[in-house]
Amino acid sequence: MQYQRSSKLFAEAEKVIPGGVNSPVRAFKGVGGTPIFVKSAKGAYLFDEDNNKLIDYINSWGPMILGHAHEPVIKAITERAKLGTSFGMPTELETQIAELAVSMVPNIDKIRFVNSGTEACMSAIRLARGYTKKDKIIKFAGCYHGHSDSFLIQAGSGASTFGIPNSPGVTQGTAKDTLLAKYNNLENVRELFENNKNEIAAIIIEPVAGNMGCIPPQSGFLEGLRNLCDENGTLLIFDEVMTGFRLARGGAQELYGIRADIVCFGKVIGGGLPVGAFAARNEIMNFLAPLGPVYQAGTLSGNPLAMAAGLAMLTELNTDVEIFQRLDQKTAYLENGIRRVLSQNSVVYTVNRVGSMISVHFNETPVIDFETAKGGDNELFKQFFHGLLNEGIYIAPSAYETWFITDALSYHDLDFTINTIDKVSKKLL
Protein backbone atom coordinates (compact mmCIF):
# COMPACT_ATOMS: atom_id res chain seq x y z
CA MET A 1 0.00 0.00 0.00
CA GLN A 2 1.07 3.55 -0.68
CA TYR A 3 0.93 6.34 1.93
CA GLN A 4 2.23 9.40 0.09
CA ARG A 5 -0.56 11.72 1.20
CA SER A 6 -0.31 10.57 4.83
CA SER A 7 3.43 11.27 4.71
CA LYS A 8 2.82 14.73 3.28
CA LEU A 9 0.14 15.51 5.88
CA PHE A 10 2.40 14.31 8.69
CA ALA A 11 5.23 16.57 7.52
CA GLU A 12 2.82 19.51 7.54
CA ALA A 13 1.47 18.57 10.98
CA GLU A 14 4.96 18.41 12.49
CA LYS A 15 5.39 22.12 11.80
CA VAL A 16 2.42 23.16 13.97
CA ILE A 17 1.68 20.23 16.32
CA PRO A 18 4.31 18.75 18.72
CA GLY A 19 5.53 15.57 17.07
CA GLY A 20 2.82 16.00 14.45
CA VAL A 21 0.20 14.33 16.65
CA ASN A 22 -2.15 15.23 19.49
CA SER A 23 -1.57 11.97 21.37
CA PRO A 24 1.95 10.46 21.40
CA VAL A 25 1.21 6.81 20.57
CA ARG A 26 -0.20 7.93 17.20
CA ALA A 27 3.29 9.04 16.11
CA PHE A 28 4.45 5.49 15.25
CA LYS A 29 7.58 5.95 17.38
CA GLY A 30 7.09 2.45 18.77
CA VAL A 31 6.98 0.84 15.32
CA GLY A 32 8.70 3.27 12.96
CA GLY A 33 7.33 4.75 9.80
CA THR A 34 4.73 7.41 9.14
CA PRO A 35 1.35 7.69 10.90
CA ILE A 36 -1.74 6.93 8.85
CA PHE A 37 -4.09 9.89 8.39
CA VAL A 38 -7.74 8.81 8.37
CA LYS A 39 -10.29 10.37 6.06
CA SER A 40 -13.36 8.38 7.09
CA ALA A 41 -14.53 5.16 8.71
CA LYS A 42 -17.55 2.90 8.42
CA GLY A 43 -18.35 -0.33 10.20
CA ALA A 44 -15.15 -2.33 10.68
CA TYR A 45 -13.10 -0.29 8.21
CA LEU A 46 -10.90 2.80 8.06
CA PHE A 47 -10.35 4.74 4.85
CA ASP A 48 -7.17 6.80 4.82
CA GLU A 49 -6.12 9.89 2.88
CA ASP A 50 -4.47 7.68 0.25
CA ASN A 51 -7.79 5.85 -0.27
CA ASN A 52 -6.54 2.64 1.33
CA LYS A 53 -9.12 0.47 3.09
CA LEU A 54 -7.97 -0.95 6.43
CA ILE A 55 -9.63 -3.44 8.77
CA ASP A 56 -9.61 -1.65 12.12
CA TYR A 57 -8.55 -3.43 15.31
CA ILE A 58 -8.23 -0.40 17.59
CA ASN A 59 -11.69 1.10 17.03
CA SER A 60 -10.80 4.49 18.47
CA TRP A 61 -9.11 2.63 21.35
CA GLY A 62 -12.26 0.80 22.34
CA PRO A 63 -15.56 2.64 22.01
CA MET A 64 -16.66 1.55 18.54
CA ILE A 65 -18.16 -1.69 19.81
CA LEU A 66 -20.91 -1.52 17.19
CA GLY A 67 -18.68 -0.20 14.42
CA HIS A 68 -17.73 3.19 13.04
CA ALA A 69 -20.46 5.65 12.02
CA HIS A 70 -23.11 3.39 13.55
CA GLU A 71 -26.41 4.72 12.23
CA PRO A 72 -28.37 5.16 15.50
CA VAL A 73 -25.42 7.00 17.07
CA ILE A 74 -24.88 9.26 14.06
CA LYS A 75 -28.60 10.03 13.90
CA ALA A 76 -28.68 10.92 17.60
CA ILE A 77 -25.72 13.31 17.21
CA THR A 78 -27.13 14.92 14.07
CA GLU A 79 -30.57 15.52 15.49
CA ARG A 80 -29.19 16.87 18.74
CA ALA A 81 -26.73 19.21 17.00
CA LYS A 82 -29.64 20.99 15.34
CA LEU A 83 -30.78 22.10 18.81
CA GLY A 84 -27.41 23.52 19.88
CA THR A 85 -24.02 22.06 20.71
CA SER A 86 -23.22 23.30 24.23
CA PHE A 87 -25.09 25.16 26.94
CA GLY A 88 -23.17 24.88 30.21
CA MET A 89 -26.57 24.18 31.77
CA PRO A 90 -28.45 20.99 32.71
CA THR A 91 -30.32 18.98 30.09
CA GLU A 92 -32.79 16.12 30.40
CA LEU A 93 -30.40 13.95 28.40
CA GLU A 94 -27.93 13.86 31.28
CA THR A 95 -30.53 12.35 33.60
CA GLN A 96 -31.66 9.84 30.99
CA ILE A 97 -28.20 8.44 30.32
CA ALA A 98 -27.34 8.54 34.04
CA GLU A 99 -30.44 6.47 34.86
CA LEU A 100 -29.55 3.96 32.14
CA ALA A 101 -25.91 3.65 33.19
CA VAL A 102 -26.84 3.20 36.86
CA SER A 103 -29.32 0.47 35.89
CA MET A 104 -26.67 -1.42 33.91
CA VAL A 105 -23.69 -1.28 36.28
CA PRO A 106 -23.63 -3.09 39.65
CA ASN A 107 -23.01 -1.27 42.92
CA ILE A 108 -23.46 2.35 41.78
CA ASP A 109 -26.19 4.80 42.76
CA LYS A 110 -24.99 8.01 41.13
CA ILE A 111 -22.74 8.97 38.25
CA ARG A 112 -21.08 12.21 37.20
CA PHE A 113 -20.10 12.90 33.60
CA VAL A 114 -16.81 14.53 32.67
CA ASN A 115 -14.92 14.95 29.40
CA SER A 116 -12.36 12.15 29.26
CA GLY A 117 -11.16 9.01 30.97
CA THR A 118 -8.21 10.99 32.32
CA GLU A 119 -10.58 13.45 33.98
CA ALA A 120 -12.72 10.62 35.36
CA CYS A 121 -9.75 8.89 37.02
CA MET A 122 -8.29 12.16 38.31
CA SER A 123 -11.64 13.08 39.86
CA ALA A 124 -12.11 9.61 41.34
CA ILE A 125 -8.77 9.88 43.15
CA ARG A 126 -9.64 13.30 44.54
CA LEU A 127 -13.00 11.98 45.71
CA ALA A 128 -11.40 8.93 47.34
CA ARG A 129 -8.90 11.10 49.20
CA GLY A 130 -11.62 13.47 50.35
CA TYR A 131 -13.89 10.64 51.46
CA THR A 132 -11.24 8.65 53.36
CA LYS A 133 -9.20 11.66 54.56
CA LYS A 134 -6.03 9.84 53.45
CA ASP A 135 -3.41 10.93 50.91
CA LYS A 136 -1.70 7.95 49.33
CA ILE A 137 -2.86 5.78 46.46
CA ILE A 138 -1.68 2.48 45.03
CA LYS A 139 -1.41 2.08 41.27
CA PHE A 140 0.08 -0.76 39.27
CA ALA A 141 3.13 -0.66 37.03
CA GLY A 142 1.97 -0.70 33.43
CA CYS A 143 -1.58 0.44 34.13
CA TYR A 144 -2.47 3.74 32.48
CA HIS A 145 -5.14 5.98 33.98
CA GLY A 146 -4.61 9.08 31.89
CA HIS A 147 -1.93 11.74 32.04
CA SER A 148 -2.79 13.30 35.40
CA ASP A 149 0.36 13.75 37.50
CA SER A 150 -0.56 11.12 40.07
CA PHE A 151 -0.69 8.42 37.41
CA LEU A 152 2.48 9.00 35.40
CA ILE A 153 4.51 6.62 37.52
CA GLN A 154 5.38 3.59 35.33
CA ALA A 155 2.28 4.26 33.28
CA GLY A 156 2.50 1.67 30.52
CA SER A 157 1.11 2.31 27.05
CA GLY A 158 2.49 5.42 25.36
CA ALA A 159 4.82 6.18 28.25
CA SER A 160 6.47 2.80 27.87
CA THR A 161 6.59 3.07 24.10
CA PHE A 162 8.65 6.23 24.51
CA GLY A 163 10.83 4.87 27.28
CA ILE A 164 9.78 7.60 29.76
CA PRO A 165 7.67 5.81 32.38
CA ASN A 166 8.21 8.75 34.75
CA SER A 167 7.34 12.00 33.02
CA PRO A 168 9.28 15.21 33.67
CA GLY A 169 6.96 17.77 35.20
CA VAL A 170 5.63 15.37 37.85
CA THR A 171 6.79 16.73 41.20
CA GLN A 172 8.42 14.68 43.93
CA GLY A 173 5.60 15.74 46.23
CA THR A 174 3.07 14.14 43.92
CA ALA A 175 5.17 11.06 43.29
CA LYS A 176 5.63 10.30 47.00
CA ASP A 177 1.89 9.82 47.43
CA THR A 178 1.69 7.28 44.60
CA LEU A 179 2.73 3.81 45.69
CA LEU A 180 3.68 1.46 42.86
CA ALA A 181 2.59 -2.18 42.93
CA LYS A 182 3.09 -5.15 40.62
CA TYR A 183 0.03 -6.28 38.68
CA ASN A 184 -1.18 -9.76 39.65
CA ASN A 185 1.05 -9.74 42.77
CA LEU A 186 -1.16 -9.67 45.84
CA GLU A 187 1.71 -10.09 48.29
CA ASN A 188 3.37 -6.96 46.95
CA VAL A 189 0.17 -4.98 47.58
CA ARG A 190 -0.10 -6.41 51.08
CA GLU A 191 3.44 -5.20 51.85
CA LEU A 192 2.53 -1.67 50.73
CA PHE A 193 -0.37 -1.64 53.18
CA GLU A 194 1.86 -2.89 55.98
CA ASN A 195 4.44 -0.18 55.29
CA ASN A 196 1.86 2.63 54.96
CA LYS A 197 -0.67 1.87 57.69
CA ASN A 198 -3.79 4.08 57.69
CA GLU A 199 -2.36 6.24 54.88
CA ILE A 200 -3.80 4.67 51.71
CA ALA A 201 -6.95 6.26 50.34
CA ALA A 202 -7.45 4.06 47.31
CA ILE A 203 -6.22 1.35 45.01
CA ILE A 204 -6.80 2.20 41.34
CA ILE A 205 -6.52 -0.57 38.78
CA GLU A 206 -7.51 -1.59 35.28
CA PRO A 207 -9.39 -4.79 36.23
CA VAL A 208 -8.25 -6.13 32.87
CA ALA A 209 -5.07 -4.32 31.90
CA GLY A 210 -5.10 -2.89 28.39
CA ASN A 211 -2.10 -0.58 28.40
CA MET A 212 0.64 -3.19 28.55
CA GLY A 213 -1.22 -5.33 26.09
CA CYS A 214 -4.25 -7.25 27.27
CA ILE A 215 -3.39 -8.83 30.63
CA PRO A 216 -6.15 -10.59 32.58
CA PRO A 217 -6.27 -10.63 36.38
CA GLN A 218 -5.12 -13.97 37.74
CA SER A 219 -7.51 -16.03 39.82
CA GLY A 220 -8.04 -14.49 43.25
CA PHE A 221 -6.19 -11.25 42.49
CA LEU A 222 -9.15 -8.88 42.31
CA GLU A 223 -10.83 -10.67 45.21
CA GLY A 224 -7.67 -10.20 47.24
CA LEU A 225 -7.57 -6.49 46.48
CA ARG A 226 -11.18 -6.17 47.59
CA ASN A 227 -10.37 -7.89 50.89
CA LEU A 228 -7.29 -5.74 51.52
CA CYS A 229 -9.31 -2.58 50.91
CA ASP A 230 -12.01 -3.73 53.32
CA GLU A 231 -9.44 -4.54 55.97
CA ASN A 232 -7.71 -1.16 55.69
CA GLY A 233 -10.55 1.32 55.13
CA THR A 234 -9.36 1.89 51.56
CA LEU A 235 -11.50 2.41 48.45
CA LEU A 236 -11.13 0.13 45.44
CA ILE A 237 -11.34 2.05 42.14
CA PHE A 238 -11.89 0.18 38.90
CA ASP A 239 -10.69 2.09 35.86
CA GLU A 240 -13.17 0.70 33.34
CA VAL A 241 -12.42 3.22 30.61
CA MET A 242 -11.63 0.23 28.38
CA THR A 243 -13.63 -2.57 29.99
CA GLY A 244 -16.81 -0.71 30.92
CA PHE A 245 -19.81 -1.68 28.76
CA ARG A 246 -17.42 -3.76 26.61
CA LEU A 247 -16.78 -6.95 28.56
CA ALA A 248 -20.37 -7.09 29.82
CA ARG A 249 -23.34 -4.78 30.33
CA GLY A 250 -21.99 -4.03 33.79
CA GLY A 251 -18.33 -4.19 32.83
CA ALA A 252 -15.64 -6.01 34.78
CA GLN A 253 -17.62 -5.81 38.03
CA GLU A 254 -20.29 -7.98 36.44
CA LEU A 255 -17.83 -10.24 34.62
CA TYR A 256 -15.77 -11.06 37.72
CA GLY A 257 -18.37 -10.54 40.43
CA ILE A 258 -16.16 -8.04 42.26
CA ARG A 259 -17.59 -4.96 43.96
CA ALA A 260 -15.63 -1.76 43.35
CA ASP A 261 -16.19 1.39 45.39
CA ILE A 262 -15.70 3.85 42.52
CA VAL A 263 -15.86 3.03 38.81
CA CYS A 264 -14.41 5.19 36.01
CA PHE A 265 -15.71 5.19 32.46
CA GLY A 266 -14.78 6.77 29.16
CA LYS A 267 -14.96 6.26 25.42
CA VAL A 268 -17.95 3.89 25.16
CA ILE A 269 -20.21 5.94 27.41
CA GLY A 270 -20.17 8.74 24.83
CA GLY A 271 -20.51 6.59 21.75
CA GLY A 272 -16.98 7.60 20.76
CA LEU A 273 -17.31 11.33 21.50
CA PRO A 274 -15.04 13.01 24.10
CA VAL A 275 -16.59 11.97 27.41
CA GLY A 276 -15.90 10.17 30.65
CA ALA A 277 -17.69 9.50 33.92
CA PHE A 278 -17.15 8.22 37.44
CA ALA A 279 -19.72 6.55 39.64
CA ALA A 280 -20.16 5.12 43.14
CA ARG A 281 -22.62 4.51 45.94
CA ASN A 282 -24.59 7.42 47.40
CA GLU A 283 -22.44 7.86 50.50
CA ILE A 284 -19.34 8.37 48.36
CA MET A 285 -20.84 10.42 45.53
CA ASN A 286 -22.57 12.74 47.99
CA PHE A 287 -19.11 13.99 49.02
CA LEU A 288 -18.96 15.82 45.67
CA ALA A 289 -19.86 19.49 45.35
CA PRO A 290 -22.48 20.89 45.51
CA LEU A 291 -23.57 18.29 48.10
CA GLY A 292 -20.19 17.83 49.75
CA PRO A 293 -16.74 19.38 50.12
CA VAL A 294 -14.88 17.68 47.21
CA TYR A 295 -14.85 20.07 44.27
CA GLN A 296 -15.06 18.94 40.67
CA ALA A 297 -16.48 20.91 37.74
CA GLY A 298 -16.43 21.33 33.96
CA THR A 299 -18.25 23.59 31.52
CA LEU A 300 -18.47 20.86 28.88
CA SER A 301 -19.39 18.05 31.30
CA GLY A 302 -22.64 16.47 30.17
CA ASN A 303 -22.26 17.98 26.69
CA PRO A 304 -25.52 17.32 24.81
CA LEU A 305 -23.84 15.83 21.73
CA ALA A 306 -21.84 13.37 23.82
CA MET A 307 -24.88 12.54 25.94
CA ALA A 308 -27.02 11.89 22.86
CA ALA A 309 -24.36 9.63 21.32
CA GLY A 310 -23.81 7.80 24.60
CA LEU A 311 -27.51 7.27 25.20
CA ALA A 312 -27.92 5.76 21.73
CA MET A 313 -24.90 3.49 22.27
CA LEU A 314 -25.83 2.29 25.76
CA THR A 315 -29.46 1.76 24.76
CA GLU A 316 -28.39 -0.64 22.03
CA LEU A 317 -25.89 -2.44 24.27
CA ASN A 318 -28.60 -2.77 26.92
CA THR A 319 -31.29 -4.13 24.60
CA ASP A 320 -29.25 -6.40 22.30
CA VAL A 321 -29.18 -9.51 24.46
CA GLU A 322 -26.66 -11.29 22.24
CA ILE A 323 -24.12 -8.50 21.64
CA PHE A 324 -21.56 -9.59 24.24
CA GLN A 325 -21.88 -13.24 23.26
CA ARG A 326 -21.25 -12.34 19.61
CA LEU A 327 -18.23 -10.23 20.52
CA ASP A 328 -16.80 -13.04 22.62
CA GLN A 329 -17.37 -15.62 19.90
CA LYS A 330 -15.77 -13.48 17.19
CA THR A 331 -12.75 -12.73 19.34
CA ALA A 332 -12.38 -16.37 20.34
CA TYR A 333 -12.48 -17.29 16.64
CA LEU A 334 -9.72 -14.78 15.95
CA GLU A 335 -7.68 -16.02 18.92
CA ASN A 336 -7.90 -19.63 17.82
CA GLY A 337 -6.88 -18.70 14.29
CA ILE A 338 -3.90 -16.63 15.48
CA ARG A 339 -2.71 -19.43 17.76
CA ARG A 340 -3.01 -21.96 14.95
CA VAL A 341 -1.00 -20.07 12.33
CA LEU A 342 1.69 -18.74 14.69
CA SER A 343 2.22 -22.25 16.08
CA GLN A 344 2.36 -23.76 12.58
CA ASN A 345 5.00 -21.21 11.64
CA SER A 346 7.04 -21.80 14.83
CA VAL A 347 6.74 -18.20 16.01
CA VAL A 348 7.35 -17.68 19.74
CA TYR A 349 4.24 -15.93 21.07
CA THR A 350 1.69 -15.49 23.83
CA VAL A 351 -1.92 -14.51 23.17
CA ASN A 352 -3.95 -12.96 25.99
CA ARG A 353 -7.69 -12.43 25.71
CA VAL A 354 -10.64 -11.38 27.83
CA GLY A 355 -13.94 -11.08 25.96
CA SER A 356 -13.41 -8.72 23.02
CA MET A 357 -9.97 -7.52 24.17
CA ILE A 358 -7.00 -9.44 22.78
CA SER A 359 -3.28 -8.95 22.22
CA VAL A 360 -0.37 -10.83 20.69
CA HIS A 361 2.89 -10.75 22.65
CA PHE A 362 6.10 -12.08 21.14
CA ASN A 363 7.15 -13.58 24.47
CA GLU A 364 8.28 -17.07 25.36
CA THR A 365 6.84 -16.82 28.88
CA PRO A 366 3.29 -15.93 29.97
CA VAL A 367 2.59 -12.19 30.09
CA ILE A 368 1.10 -11.44 33.50
CA ASP A 369 2.47 -7.99 34.42
CA PHE A 370 4.52 -5.03 33.21
CA GLU A 371 7.88 -6.77 33.55
CA THR A 372 6.85 -9.78 31.49
CA ALA A 373 5.18 -7.49 28.93
CA LYS A 374 8.47 -5.62 28.53
CA GLY A 375 10.20 -8.92 27.84
CA GLY A 376 8.61 -9.24 24.42
CA ASP A 377 10.51 -9.01 21.14
CA ASN A 378 9.68 -5.46 20.07
CA GLU A 379 11.68 -5.71 16.85
CA LEU A 380 9.56 -8.68 15.85
CA PHE A 381 6.43 -6.72 16.76
CA LYS A 382 7.50 -3.86 14.47
CA GLN A 383 7.82 -6.26 11.55
CA PHE A 384 4.50 -7.84 12.44
CA PHE A 385 2.77 -4.45 12.63
CA HIS A 386 4.03 -3.24 9.27
CA GLY A 387 3.43 -6.61 7.65
CA LEU A 388 -0.24 -6.43 8.63
CA LEU A 389 -0.50 -2.76 7.70
CA ASN A 390 0.84 -3.41 4.22
CA GLU A 391 -1.91 -5.99 3.74
CA GLY A 392 -4.68 -3.68 4.93
CA ILE A 393 -4.97 -4.52 8.65
CA TYR A 394 -4.52 -1.83 11.29
CA ILE A 395 -3.56 -2.83 14.83
CA ALA A 396 -2.30 -0.54 17.59
CA PRO A 397 1.12 0.93 16.71
CA SER A 398 2.58 -0.20 20.03
CA ALA A 399 3.45 -3.53 21.58
CA TYR A 400 1.86 -2.26 24.80
CA GLU A 401 -1.74 -1.93 23.61
CA THR A 402 -4.67 -4.29 23.42
CA TRP A 403 -6.69 -4.85 20.26
CA PHE A 404 -10.42 -4.09 20.43
CA ILE A 405 -12.92 -6.14 18.46
CA THR A 406 -16.07 -4.62 16.98
CA ASP A 407 -19.32 -6.42 16.25
CA ALA A 408 -19.15 -4.91 12.75
CA LEU A 409 -16.34 -7.36 11.88
CA SER A 410 -17.54 -10.20 9.67
CA TYR A 411 -16.15 -13.73 9.76
CA HIS A 412 -14.80 -12.99 6.29
CA ASP A 413 -12.80 -10.14 7.85
CA LEU A 414 -11.57 -12.45 10.59
CA ASP A 415 -10.55 -15.15 8.10
CA PHE A 416 -8.71 -12.55 6.03
CA THR A 417 -6.92 -11.38 9.17
CA ILE A 418 -5.92 -14.90 10.20
CA ASN A 419 -4.68 -15.72 6.69
CA THR A 420 -2.73 -12.46 6.61
CA ILE A 421 -1.12 -13.22 9.97
CA ASP A 422 -0.18 -16.62 8.54
CA LYS A 423 1.41 -14.93 5.52
CA VAL A 424 3.21 -12.28 7.57
CA SER A 425 4.42 -14.68 10.27
CA LYS A 426 6.15 -16.86 7.66
CA LYS A 427 8.34 -13.84 6.90
CA LEU A 428 9.20 -13.26 10.56
CA LEU A 429 11.30 -16.41 10.80
Side-chain angles (χ1 to χ4, degrees), residues 80-81 83-91 93-94 299-300 302-305:
R80 189 68 213 187
L83 304 176
T85 58
S86 179
F87 312 120
M89 298 169 65
T91 65
L93 270 174
E94 294 164 79
T299 299
L300 290 174
N303 174 267
L305 299 187

Side-chain angles (χ1 to χ4, degrees), residues 1 3 6 21 23 25-28 31-32 34-38 44-48 52-61 68 381 384-398 402-405 409 416-417 420:
M1 289 188 176
Y3 298 103
S6 279
V21 293
S23 188
V25 75
R26 301 176 192 173
F28 275 34
V31 292
T34 301
I36 305 302
F37 278 61
V38 178
Y45 312 115
L46 300 169
F47 301 90
D48 70 13
N52 297 308
K53 177 183 176 182
L54 305 169
I55 300 176
D56 184 15
Y57 283 100
I58 66 166
N59 287 286
S60 192
W61 306 97
H68 290 283
F381 177 82
F384 182 71
F385 171 84
H386 284 288
L388 295 185
L389 183 61
N390 289 335
E391 298 293 331
I393 296 171
Y394 190 75
I395 63 172
S398 167
T402 185
W403 307 6
F404 296 100
I405 306 305
L409 280 164
F416 177 80
T417 302
T420 300

